[in-house]
Structures are given as C-alpha cells and as structure tokens.
Amino acid sequence: MPQESRNTGPSVSFEAVSKRYAGGANAVDTVSVTIAAGSFVALVGSSGSGKSTLLKMINRLVEPSSGRVLVNNAPVGEEDAHLLRRRIGYIFQNVGLFPHLTVAENIAIGLRLSGSKDNAARVGDLLDLVDLPRDFASRTPDALSGGQRQRVGVARALATEPGLLIMDEPFGALDPVTRDQLGASIRGLHDRLGLTTIMVTHDMAEALLLADRVLVMDAGRIVADCTPRALIAGEGGAQADALVAVPREQARRLRALEGEA
Ligand code: ADP
Ligand code: MG
C-alpha cells in the first residue's frame, strides 16, 4: 500500500509553550523542545505532570495559553483543526471505538470524513498493517480482546496515512504480554512507515525499550531529555534516576531469583 515507502514524518517543535487551565496552576510551564522528523520520543512522568496536556496541544485538543507548537515548522494554530488532525494519528488509552459499529466502520470513520472511496480495500490493508485477520472487519468491538481493540485503534489512527503518530498511554489497560507485543508492533510500524512518533507513558521501562529519546516531565516542565542509553548511565539527573531505578531494581531482583533457581 502507498504507506509502505514514503518520506519521513514531520518534526514537532514547542516554543515556550505554557498551558494554564482556568483556576489551576500551569499544567505545562514554558516548554521548549524540538522533536526531530522520524524520531520515536517517549514522554514520561508521574500522574499530573502535564504529559497529556503537552501532547494534546499538538493536535489542538488543548490550545496553549502562551507560546506555540509547530509541525514541520508550520504553527498548528494557523491551520484548520480538522485538516491538522487528519495528518496526525491519535491513539489514547481507552481506544474509543464505537460499540455499535463494526471494526470496518470504526476504521473507516477517518476515511469517510476525508471523502475517500474504496474503503473496503483500505480497511483490509489497514487490518493487515496491524496484524489482525481481515475477517475481523465485520465484528463489533465487544467480540475482540483488549489488545485486538487497541490494534483497531491503531488502524483507525493510521487510516488517513498521517506522518505523525501521537499516543497517550496507549497500552495502559492491557496485560503485560499484550502490552509488550503491541509496543513492538508500533515500533515496527514507526520504522516501516517512517513515522514521527510521540508516546506518553508512565512506564519508564517501556520508554527505555521503545524510544530513541526520552523526555521526563515534572510539574509541567521537561526535567530530563536523554537517549535511553544516557538515562541508564545516570545522565538524566535526580528525577529521571528515580524513575529508572524502578525497572532496574526489578531486573536486579529477577536476576537474583534466577541465580537461586
Ligand atoms: P498527566 O497526563 O501527566 O497526568 P495532565 O496533562 O493530564 O497530566 O494534567 C496536568 C495538570 O493539569 C494536572 O494538575 C491536572 O489536574 C490539570 N488538568 C488537566 N486537564 C485539565 C482540565 N481540563 N481542566 C483543569 N485542569 C486540568
Ligand atoms: Mg495523562
């Protein structure tokens, strides 16, 4: 399909971006960072640190209080939000499939809105892309496992062939094995399709294993910006070290158990 070989996804830049919700403190506080075209970036931090707010300012589900966001050097605030969202695949934790629509209809929602013909063939291609059997097209979401539903969510997000994929805790509700498989699938799609991918997660191990670069957020600010290798080497500072310590300590205890066995 045409998605298979094409140019790299866009860059994403935040320029002194802040967001203050009515009556609250700054959820995002003067963030400036550029995410390179074609990279896979994880955004990690504890609950309430501002990850979702930062992510949603890319596709304008949240508007910044100050500063601006650029996709491929074009300010997103100057583009029609619907056109913008067609170029950005968005995956979130609870998938948000319509229960009364079939898998095919759920995937085709993005296609229909963009006026595409020949949806059945495209849906088949998209099911292939996310490693689901084509005959799942006629099922409704309640006849799928959680992991399969999230694969449908991925297919829907990629239906309009976006170059940019943004994900907010996409594996949060899944068991560890399914989570691991889906993570590997998404990293594979990122590489094959040449996407730019930004993934919000609270799981540092997942971030270290999937991403090229890890941004750590705390109280609305980016407090570390490192490759996984640098984070493991302790170059991310105290807050990053505290997050890296969790999977490291788990790995150490597992190795100790193996030694005893
Ligand atoms: P995270 O995704 O890291 O958990 P969020 O971006 O959801 O963080 O939230 C950052 C802060 O902004 C939190 O204090 C949260 O309570 C607040 N917040 C998020 N969304 C809203 C909203 N719609 N209205 C008011 N406050 C919000
Ligand atoms: Mg969140």
Side-chain angles (χ1 to χ4, degrees), residues 51-52 168-169 200:
K51 306 180 298 294
S52 296
D168 197 345
E169 313 246 9
V200 166

Side-chain angles (χ1 to χ4, degrees), residues 209-261:
L209 292 171
L210 288 178
D212 306 319
R213 178 181 176 195
V214 180
L215 304 176
V216 179
M217 281 192 86
D218 184 58
R221 290 176 171 267
I222 291 175
V223 295
D225 176 358
C226 289
T227 63
R229 200 173 284 272
L231 275 183
I232 299 275
E235 292 165 20
Q239 280 145 313
D241 281 350
L243 294 174
V244 173
V246 177
R248 173 178 284 138
E249 173 61 13
Q250 287 175 332
R252 193 192 63 73
R253 278 154 51 198
L254 286 174
R255 273 196 306 275
L257 275 177
E258 267 176 358
E260 288 168 19

Side-chain angles (χ1 to χ4, degrees), residues 16-207:
V17 172
S18 295
K19 175 65 187 183
R20 179 189 290 270
Y21 293 104
N26 271 355
V28 169
D29 187 5
T30 338
V31 165
S32 293
V33 66
T34 292
I35 288 158
S39 58
F40 193 125
V41 171
L43 196 56
V44 189
S46 54
S47 182
S49 58
K51 306 180 298 294
S52 296
T53 300
L54 191 69
L55 196 76
K56 288 177 188 166
M57 287 192 280
I58 301 171
N59 63 356
R60 295 186 60 192
L61 292 175
V62 171
E63 298 287 352
S65 305
S66 60
R68 56 182 198 161
V69 182
L70 301 97
V71 171
N72 255 356
N73 301 315
V76 296
E78 292 174 14
E79 186 173 348
D80 175 82
H82 291 101
L83 291 177
L84 176 76
R85 288 180 198 145
R86 208 174 290 166
R87 298 191 292 118
I88 302 174
Y90 179 47
I91 302 174
F92 41 99
Q93 182 169 343
N94 295 321
V95 198
L97 299 183
F98 292 100
H100 56 288
L101 298 182
T102 64
V103 164
E105 287 164 342
N106 268 288
I107 293 175
I109 277 173
L111 297 172
R112 229 178 3 240
L113 292 179
S114 63
S116 173
K117 304 245 186 324
D118 205 17
N119 282 353
R122 283 282 293 136
V123 166
D125 285 345
L126 286 158
L127 286 170
D128 291 348
L129 192 70
V130 297
D131 294 323
L132 285 177
R134 285 188 173 219
D135 61 13
F136 276 28
S138 57
R139 294 195 189 186
T140 49
D142 62 358
L144 304 179
S145 70
Q148 290 164 345
R149 275 201 286 271
Q150 194 53 296
R151 284 181 188 272
V152 174
V154 175
R156 183 183 52 187
L158 295 175
T160 55
E161 301 189 32
L164 175 60
L165 184 61
I166 63 176
M167 303 186 280
D168 197 345
E169 313 246 9
F171 318 130
L174 303 174
D175 68 83
V177 173
T178 305
R179 199 177 167 117
D180 202 51
Q181 288 168 346
L182 199 54
S185 292
I186 286 185
R187 178 71 219 205
L189 286 170
H190 166 91
D191 293 336
R192 250 176 42 234
L193 303 178
L195 304 173
T196 302
T197 303
I198 306 174
M199 176 181 72
V200 166
T201 175
H202 56 254
D203 184 336
M204 180 56 96
E206 192 166 85

